Amino acid sequence: MPGFDFDYIVIGSGFGGSVSALRLAEKGYRVAVMEMGRRWRAEDYPATNWRIWRWIWRPSLALRGFFNIAPFRHVVILHGCAVGGGSITYANTSLVPPARVWDNGGWAGLADWHSEMPAHYTTAQQMLGVSENRILGPADQILRRAAEAVGAGATFYRTQVAVFQPPEGETPGRVYPDPYFGGEGPERATCIACGGCMMGCRYNAKNSLDKNYLYLAEKRGVEIFPETRVVDVRPLAGTPDGSAGYEIRTVRSTAWVRRRPHRFTCRGVVFAASSLGTMDLLFRLKERGSLPAVSDALGTGVRTNAESLIGVRVPGHTEDLSKGIAIGSGMYLDEHTHIEVVRYPAGSDAMGLLATPLSLRRGSARLLFWVATVARSFARNPLRTVRCLHPFGFAREALILLCMQTLDSQIRMRLGRPWFWPFRKTLMSHGEKVATFIPKANDFAQVVANLAGGMPMSMLTEILFDVPGTAHILGGCPMAAGPEAGVVDARHRLFGYRNAYVCDGSVVSANLGVNPSLTITALAERAMSFIPEAAAGTNREYSGQN
């Protein structure tokens, strides 16, 4: 399209952004991807998360890694930031949610989800190289035994994972030419079961987005701009609805002084900066008048996937509990409560700083009971208690239990000025507190501890502040029939604007109860399927009502 730098600019390179970039390029459009994080190679990833400067993403503090911990009043959010988005640090787990999720939440009734989504899930699974996990480590075997102990052994399963696994009986680590895309993709090596998936795969086995969608997109001419933060998006030529295109302004995300401001123009824009990133950007664009018609429903319907992080520390365990795939197995306590066992690689013990003995009480009594629990443990066995509480050896000796529920709970996000730093507006959470106490999950952790000979643990933030942790923040740009109830329609089109889409976790409009990456990928595949080929769509406006 003459007169524009690009036909489409995609903001973000996670599961939604990478799908959008590839599919738009395949349809003949000139596409750019603006990514705030850095580009990583296998040899660049840190061997341990004690190398904070290469693990944590906080460029204002000279920390230029790929993982961030964002505290809010209602939740502590764990998320990734890199070329490839959360795929760089996620645990590979790619599960299809229960069919009932399409009948709940804001998207219910907006489309024939039950007939449309299976094909898009299949495409997403093929692109991400999803297969059943064949590598069960010691922690997975403990989870199996615990499931049997509570009468739920039949629900134990091997996860579906986006990992290149070795054939049965073959030595791990063997290098193969592209096994997924008929030679179009990069060469790969089979998984060595080091447990390091969430630290960035250093052995070229993890099917992160830079190995599939983004790799193929770049081969088709897509330009990726790493370390680039989008600071403004506004319609061109005085057309308030964006029908004449958009102006995108960026700065360098890792620079303190020389921020290299740049201006791009495009006919269409895809917001895919993750639930947090897209909400934050759209709030600022609406407030400064760049996109004033963005729905007032922005920031509503934010969900944490009803998660709780608990675990068990087994000091001196005879086997290395870090061995395996980051999330290799799971089980169901009931139809609403799903538990997976999670691990970090040996030596990556920094998350142990957030672990503390589990308190089996809720409400105001929880903190007092926790104090009593710690005191009693020190009195009975001080050496063992110290070994459970210090972080060193945590990855080798701990089972992290990720509990997820399909039961719905929501919070809201808004821009505001925190009392401790009123000089700049930031995203702030509002609403009812998110539950941090799941009795069935806590009881199950006690069962696991008894079987393994360890101590049940919880996140320190849950005990001290009654705030849960989640790696799966969803919602904030909910789907709806109109702007009075949502931010986008069922085709991900931004209400009030033409040729503007939202394709990331912010559009998920119900609690999935499973890891959301596959669903975000499948939703983006569906959204892009509605956009016509470039030759057929040059003079059409895709974001208006049909």
Side-chain angles (χ1 to χ4, degrees):
M1 298 177 187
F4 295 112
D5 295 319
F6 299 96
D7 298 331
Y8 279 92
I9 287 180
V10 180
I11 303 172
S13 63
F15 292 98
S18 62
V19 172
S20 301
L22 174 60
R23 298 312 181 200
L24 288 169
E26 287 179 335
K27 293 187 178 201
Y29 296 103
R30 294 174 299 128
V31 181
V33 176
M34 305 296 166
E35 169 54 55
M36 187 167 62
R38 295 172 55 196
R39 188 188 288 268
W40 292 81
R41 301 172 302 171
E43 57 267 31
D44 297 330
Y45 294 119
T48 168
N49 57 13
W50 287 116
R51 296 182 180 179
I52 299 294
W53 60 95
R54 292 178 62 194
W55 180 48
I56 297 294
W57 169 260
R58 282 296 174 92
S60 60
L61 301 176
L63 304 176
R64 297 172 181 172
F66 49 85
F67 178 75
N68 200 4
I69 302 175
F72 291 86
R73 179 185 174 193
H74 293 76
V75 63
V76 175
I77 298 172
L78 317 176
H79 63 99
C81 186
V83 172
S87 76
I88 300 302
T89 187
Y90 88 133
N92 317 303
T93 313
S94 305
L95 302 179
V96 178
R100 63 179 177 271
V101 303
W102 304 108
D103 302 320
N104 301 317
W107 55 25
L110 296 182
D112 189 0
W113 302 108
H114 293 285
S115 64
E116 292 183 34
M117 290 306 297
H120 297 300
Y121 275 113
T122 298
T123 300
Q125 289 168 328
Q126 292 171 346
M127 290 295 300
L128 296 175
V130 176
S131 60
E132 184 178 78
N133 175 36
R134 297 193 296 271
I135 305 169
L136 291 184
D140 301 299
Q141 301 297 350
I142 293 174
L143 182 66
R144 187 203 296 270
R145 288 162 47 204
E148 293 169 349
V150 299
T155 72
F156 177 86
Y157 65 90
R158 298 167 181 254
T159 50
Q160 298 289 315
V161 292
V163 176
F164 184 37
Q165 301 180 69
E168 198 72 38
E170 183 179 283
T171 302
R174 179 179 171 185
V175 177
Y176 284 82
D178 167 42
Y180 294 111
F181 305 109
E184 273 202 85
E187 69 176 19
R188 309 303 304 283
T190 55
C191 178
I192 65 169
C194 69
C197 314
M198 294 192 295
M199 288 301 301
C201 181
R202 300 167 62 224
Y203 302 99
N204 204 25
K206 180 180 181 178
N207 297 338
S208 49
L209 294 168
D210 55 325
K211 303 293 196 301
N212 38 69
Y213 281 104
L214 291 177
Y215 186 91
L216 298 176
E218 288 192 280
K219 290 187 72 172
R220 285 157 176 78
V222 171
E223 293 187 51
I224 298 177
F225 293 80
E227 300 178 51
T228 300
R229 183 187 187 97
V230 173
V231 295
D232 198 16
V233 178
R234 61 176 63 233
L236 283 170
T239 54
D241 65 353
S243 56
Y246 295 89
E247 172 188 273
I248 311 289
R249 291 191 177 270
T250 68
V251 297
R252 190 164 178 81
S253 63
T254 51
W256 288 352
V257 180
R258 299 182 63 188
R259 305 197 71 189
R260 302 179 191 174
H262 202 97
R263 176 184 181 271
F264 300 90
T265 59
C266 59
R267 187 171 193 274
V269 60
V270 179
F271 294 91
S274 81
S275 182
L276 280 184
T278 293
M279 274 192 290
D280 185 89
L281 179 56
L282 287 178
F283 269 124
R284 296 182 190 280
L285 297 177
K286 179 179 175 67
E287 186 174 87
R288 72 165 55 105
S290 297
L291 297 179
V294 169
S295 168
D296 290 337
L298 179 65
T300 63
V302 177
R303 295 168 167 87
T304 66
N305 223 13
E307 291 184 9
S308 178
L309 287 167
I310 50 181
V312 174
R313 180 78 181 264
V314 192
H317 196 272
T318 55
E319 296 180 284
D320 184 352
L321 297 178
S322 72
K323 294 299 182 184
I325 289 175
I327 297 180
S329 63
M331 54 83 64
Y332 284 85
L333 282 175
D334 57 41
E335 63 174 332
H336 298 295
T337 310
H338 170 212
I339 291 180
E340 296 170 344
V341 63
V342 186
R343 75 210 82 200
Y344 277 90
S348 290
D349 304 323
M351 292 299 285
L353 294 170
L354 295 177
T356 191
L358 179 66
S359 173
L360 296 177
R361 295 289 186 275
R362 71 170 77 211
S364 58
R366 191 174 188 183
L367 183 59
L368 293 176
F369 190 82
W370 169 74
V371 172
T373 299
V374 174
R376 185 166 55 250
S377 181
F378 268 109
R380 291 178 175 175
N381 196 329
L383 180 58
R384 181 173 179 272
T385 303
V386 169
R387 293 182 67 184
C388 284
L389 293 180
H390 75 72
F392 304 108
F394 178 81
R396 296 186 77 260
E397 300 175 347
L399 299 92
I400 303 172
L401 301 174
L402 170 59
C403 176
M404 294 174 282
Q405 293 191 308
T406 54
L407 302 175
D408 204 20
S409 62
Q410 301 179 31
I411 57 177
R412 302 187 314 277
M413 291 285 187
R414 292 286 185 269
L415 278 186
R417 299 183 188 275
W419 63 268
F420 55 86
W421 189 255
F423 310 105
R424 184 178 184 273
K425 285 189 173 182
T426 186
L427 272 184
M428 301 177 68
S429 62
H430 300 269
E432 297 295 323
K433 277 192 168 293
V434 179
T436 62
F437 191 88
I438 303 176
K440 286 186 177 181
N442 294 339
D443 292 343
F444 184 74
Q446 187 64 62
V447 171
V448 174
N450 293 339
L451 281 172
M455 175 185 289
M457 310 289 284
S458 178
M459 274 189 71
L460 195 60
T461 56
E462 294 190 7
I463 300 297
L464 297 183
F465 309 113
D466 197 25
V467 173
T470 182
H472 302 142
I473 195 71
L474 302 169
C477 295
M479 291 184 184
E484 65 284 346
V487 178
V488 298
D489 68 5
R491 295 189 178 187
H492 297 240
R493 299 175 294 194
L494 186 67
F495 288 124
Y497 295 93
R498 299 194 180 267
N499 308 315
Y501 298 80
V502 178
C503 291
D504 56 25
S506 67
V507 304
V508 175
S509 301
N511 249 4
L512 301 178
V514 298
N515 314 66
S517 55
L518 187 68
T519 295
I520 297 169
T521 306
L523 284 169
E525 288 279 9
R526 177 181 176 274
M528 292 299 105
S529 73
F530 294 117
I531 297 181
E533 300 288 332
T538 301
N539 297 312
R540 293 179 56 184
E541 296 172 351
Y542 314 134
S543 296
Q545 298 300 314
N546 290 336

